[in-house]
Amino acid sequence: MAITSANQLELLQTAEAVAREKMIDPDLVIQAMEDSLARAAKSRYGAEMDIRVKIDRKTGRATFSRVRTVVEDEAVENHHAQLTVKQAKSYLADPQIGDEIVDEVPPVDLGRIAAQSAKQVILQKVREAERDRQFEEFKDRKGTIINGAVKREEYGNVIVDIGRGEGILRRNEKIGREAYRIGDRIRCYIKDVRREPRGPQVFLSRTDPQFMAELFKMEVPEIYDGIIEIKAVARDPGSRAKIAVISYDNSIDPVGACVGMRGSRVQAVVNELQGEKIDIIPWNQDTATFLVNALQPAEVSKVVFDEEAGKIEVVVPDEQLSLAIGRRGQNVRLASQLTGLDIDIMTEAEESARRQAEFAERTKLFMDTLDVDEMMAQLLVAEGFTNLEEVAYVEEDELLSIDGFDEGTAAELQARARDYLEAANAKAMENARAMGVEDSLINFDGLTPQMLEALAKDGIKTLEDFATCADWELAGGWTTENGQRKKDEGVLEKFDMSLDEAQTLIMTARVMLGWVDPTELEEPEEEPADDDEEAEA
C-alpha cells in the first residue's frame, strides 16, 4: 500500500469514522496512524533511524522525515540518530546541544506485513484512548447509582452494560441469591472505578450500605435537599438493615419522612432490595440514647459506656434478651455496625449478679488490708471506694461524710491504708530489683514499685526496654480480627493506665535516651491550641 494522493483523504475519513464510532478525539486516531507509519518506515530505512511521520490535518498528506539530534561528543550512542556539535556544523550555522536536523525522506510502500503491523498499532492506540475516555467518564461517578442492562454472566459475576462502557457486579456484591437473565434492567451502586491491566474497571455493588443510602436519597426529597441527613447505615444484605437519620428542621420528623405516606417511600427501597426489612432510627448525639434507639424493637434498662475501650454494656429485661440479640445475633450485630461500638448485652439478673460479685470482692479487699469488720468494709464500698489508694489519699472530709465515721476512725483507716501500701511498695521494689530491674528504669518518674515489678515479669528491665514498647502494650487496647473485636491485655492495664499516659511515658523515655528530638514533641501540642482558637473565633 503506497501513500499516494488517491488515498490521502481516506486517512482523514477513516480517522473521523473511527473517532465517531469509539467516541474519542479524531486527533488521537491520526496520532496513532502517524506512529504506525513511522514504525513501518523504520523497518524499511533501519530501526536505528529516528523516522517521524506527520499527517496534514487538512489534506491528509503524510510527510516522512529523518531526525538527527545534536548531542555532546561523549553522549553519542546512535550515529544514525545523533550528531556531535562538530558534525552538525555541516548543516547548521551555529548548532547547539538539543537542536534537531530534519531531512524529508521518500514515502514508503507498505507491504502486507508492514500494513498489518501498522493496523495493529492503530488498533492498540485506539483501544488505549477508548479506555482513557471510559475512565475519565466514570471516575467522577463513583458513589452514585447507575442503571444498566445485564450483558452476560462470567463465573457468577454479572457484566452490566452501563452505556459507554461495562461494569462488573461480583458474585459477593449481589443480594442473596439474585439471578439475572441477559437483557434484564438492573440498578447498581458504583463502588469503585480504577485502572486495571485490561483497561478501566467499573466495580458495581448491590450489597454496599451506601447503595441503600443513595436509594433513600432518590426516594426522599428532604434527604436530597439536605434537610434530613443519613448519619449511619448497617446492612445484612437481603435480610435486614438499620439506617440512622437526623432532621435539621424541627418541623420535619426524619423517620416519618423516610417512611412516607402509608410507607410508600420505604417500600420502594424495600422492593429494590429484594424485600430487605429496614429499621429507620432517629440519630442522637448522645451515644447511649442512640444505642437504645438502635436496639429497637428491644427495650433497654441501662447502658454502661466504656469510652476508652470503645465498648458498651447494655442491660435488658430477662424477657427482652432474645429480642435484643435477634436471630443469629443479627439485631445486636447491626446495632454495633451502626454505632461503631462493641456491644455486650446482659440481662438484669446477670448484671445484678456481677455487681454483687464486685461488691463482695471489694469488701473482702478492705477487710484483709485494713483489718476492719465486714460492716465497715461494706460501708466503704457502698460509698464508692474501689481500692486502697482512694482510702489512703482521699480528703478526710469524704470519710467523715460516711455515717458512723468520726475523725479518729477516719485517721486510723487512712494510717492503716498508707502503712499497707508502703509495705507493699517496699516488697514490690525488692522483687523488682531481684528480677534484675536496672536503676535507669527505677529512677524514671511515673512508675510505681508495683508497675516496675509487673514490667520485670514481662521482661522489661531497662529504660531502653521501656522505650521500645508501644502504648497499647502498656495500657492495653482493642483490635479487630475477622470482624470481631479482640482485647489486647496491657502490662500496666491493671493500674488504670490510659493510652495517653502510656504514650507520654514512652516518649519521655525516648527523649531521655536521645532517640527523639524534644522539639518534635512540641509541634503536635500547638496544633490543637490553634484549632481551639479557630473554633472560638
Side-chain angles (χ1 to χ4, degrees):
M1 184 182 80
I3 304 295
T4 64
S5 58
N7 59 21
Q8 285 175 357
L9 288 174
E10 277 189 37
L11 289 176
L12 295 179
Q13 291 168 358
T14 303
E16 288 284 351
V18 171
R20 278 197 304 272
E21 181 186 349
K22 302 296 185 181
M23 291 175 288
I24 58 177
D25 187 353
D27 197 55
L28 292 174
V29 181
I30 294 176
Q31 288 176 17
M33 290 178 171
E34 290 173 343
D35 291 343
S36 64
L37 290 173
R39 181 176 296 187
K42 283 184 179 181
S43 65
R44 164 75 185 276
Y45 289 109
E48 298 86 3
M49 298 281 192
D50 184 3
I51 302 295
R52 302 178 191 177
V53 178
K54 185 70 176 175
I55 297 176
D56 190 292
R57 269 40 173 187
K58 293 181 180 178
T59 65
R61 181 176 181 273
T63 304
F64 290 72
S65 304
R66 176 193 178 187
V67 180
R68 286 174 289 177
T69 307
V70 180
V71 297
E72 297 177 357
D73 294 355
E74 61 273 10
V76 176
E77 295 179 354
N78 181 359
H79 293 284
H80 296 281
Q82 295 173 328
L83 289 172
T84 65
V85 174
K86 184 177 180 181
Q87 292 169 334
K89 286 182 179 178
S90 303
Y91 306 93
L92 300 172
D94 183 24
Q96 302 293 325
I97 302 297
D99 287 350
E100 292 182 342
I101 299 168
V102 181
D103 300 316
E104 189 171 339
V105 295
V108 298
D109 291 337
L110 299 183
R112 184 177 60 82
I113 296 176
Q116 187 67 22
S117 175
K119 181 181 178 182
Q120 291 298 326
V121 172
I122 292 172
L123 290 174
Q124 178 64 26
K125 291 286 185 181
V126 169
R127 276 196 295 266
E128 289 176 2
E130 192 178 10
R131 288 169 181 171
D132 288 340
R133 190 265 311 153
Q134 184 177 334
F135 179 76
E136 290 299 322
E137 179 175 346
F138 288 102
K139 70 174 184 179
D140 295 329
R141 298 183 66 180
K142 178 180 175 182
T144 62
I145 288 178
I146 193 167
N147 292 310
V150 175
K151 200 169 184 180
R152 63 184 182 276
E153 190 167 348
E154 297 176 352
Y155 307 106
N157 302 325
V158 177
I159 307 303
V160 182
D161 184 348
I162 50 177
R164 295 187 179 182
E166 291 181 350
I168 180 169
L169 179 65
R170 294 188 182 278
R171 188 173 5 183
N172 60 335
E173 297 290 348
K174 294 192 291 185
I175 297 175
R177 298 179 180 177
E178 281 183 331
Y180 298 102
R181 291 175 295 182
I182 294 174
D184 284 354
R185 299 297 298 176
I186 185 174
R187 187 183 286 180
C188 299
Y189 176 76
I190 301 179
K191 190 173 184 178
D192 196 12
V193 181
R194 60 177 183 261
R195 294 185 187 274
E196 297 284 322
R198 294 182 300 167
Q201 287 283 334
V202 180
F203 294 94
L204 307 175
S205 175
R206 285 176 57 80
T207 61
D208 193 284
Q210 289 306 311
F211 179 47
M212 189 173 75
E214 289 296 317
L215 288 173
F216 268 105
K217 189 181 292 185
M218 294 170 66
E219 296 292 337
V220 184
E222 291 86 349
I223 295 177
Y224 182 82
D225 294 336
I227 299 171
I228 294 174
E229 182 185 355
I230 297 173
K231 300 292 286 187
V233 183
R235 287 183 67 192
D236 193 349
S239 177
R240 192 172 178 187
K242 290 179 183 285
I243 180 168
V245 291
I246 184 173
S247 173
Y248 295 111
D249 186 338
N250 293 333
S251 63
I252 296 177
D253 172 27
V255 176
C258 292
V259 172
M261 185 71 70
R262 297 181 181 175
S264 58
R265 291 175 175 177
V266 71
Q267 193 59 45
V269 178
V270 169
N271 293 340
E272 179 64 42
L273 299 177
Q274 305 296 317
E276 191 170 312
K277 294 182 177 66
I278 302 174
D279 295 336
I280 303 173
I281 295 159
W283 185 83
N284 196 293
Q285 192 171 5
D286 179 62
T287 304
T289 304
F290 180 36
L291 181 62
V292 170
N293 294 339
L295 282 171
Q296 292 177 0
E299 297 176 5
V300 176
S301 302
K302 188 167 73 170
V303 174
V304 181
F305 184 35
D306 185 346
E307 191 170 358
E308 186 176 324
K311 190 180 175 101
I312 203 158
E313 290 180 350
V314 176
V315 181
V316 297
D318 294 15
E319 68 277 5
Q320 293 278 318
L321 181 62
S322 59
L323 190 60
I325 294 174
R327 186 170 53 121
R328 297 178 183 172
Q330 187 183 64
N331 193 51
V332 69
R333 184 172 66 251
L334 290 175
S336 180
Q337 292 174 17
L338 201 67
T339 58
L341 296 166
D342 189 32
I343 302 172
D344 281 346
I345 293 185
M346 62 178 68
T347 63
E348 291 176 343
E350 290 171 339
E351 199 254 347
S352 176
R354 191 187 66 175
R355 279 191 315 183
Q356 290 176 4
E358 288 178 355
F359 190 88
E361 183 182 346
R362 290 170 183 169
T363 299
K364 186 175 186 307
L365 169 70
F366 290 139
M367 289 173 63
D368 294 343
T369 57
L370 298 177
D371 192 22
V372 295
D373 60 23
E374 185 177 9
M375 183 175 291
M376 185 171 286
Q378 288 177 347
L379 283 172
L380 288 170
V381 176
E383 287 296 321
F385 290 95
T386 59
N387 56 56
L388 215 54
E389 285 80 1
E390 291 178 359
V391 177
Y393 302 111
V394 76
E395 292 292 333
E396 191 174 291
D397 289 345
E398 291 196 32
L399 288 173
L400 292 175
S401 65
I402 302 174
D403 288 342
F405 278 41
D406 54 24
E407 291 184 3
T409 304
E412 178 63 23
L413 283 175
Q414 288 196 313
R416 290 183 185 181
R418 289 168 183 166
D419 289 344
Y420 186 91
L421 290 172
E422 287 173 6
N425 286 341
K427 181 65 177 175
M429 183 62 76
E430 182 183 338
N431 292 340
R433 289 186 182 278
M435 285 186 280
V437 176
E438 296 185 2
D439 289 341
S440 61
L441 191 58
I442 291 173
N443 296 329
F444 180 68
D445 288 339
L447 298 177
T448 65
Q450 283 91 344
M451 290 181 182
L452 291 170
E453 184 181 18
L455 290 170
K457 289 178 180 177
D458 203 59
I460 303 168
K461 301 178 181 180
T462 67
L463 192 60
E464 288 81 359
D465 294 341
F466 185 79
T468 58
C469 292
D471 51 8
W472 62 267
E473 290 179 299
L474 299 182
W478 294 84
T479 54
T480 302
E481 292 182 5
N482 299 323
Q484 299 292 324
R485 285 174 63 80
K486 179 184 174 185
K487 184 73 176 74
D488 295 317
E489 298 294 337
V491 182
L492 303 181
E493 187 174 356
K494 62 183 178 181
F495 301 104
D496 295 328
M497 177 170 288
S498 68
L499 282 170
D500 288 340
E501 291 169 340
Q503 190 175 43
T504 300
L505 288 174
I506 291 167
M507 295 308 295
T508 302
R510 291 174 182 175
V511 169
M512 290 175 64
L513 292 168
W515 296 358
V516 175
D517 185 350
T519 57
E520 295 178 6
L521 303 179
E522 296 173 4
E523 294 176 2
E525 293 176 2
E526 293 173 2
E527 289 176 3
D530 293 341
D531 293 340
D532 290 340
E533 288 172 10
E534 290 176 10
E536 289 172 8

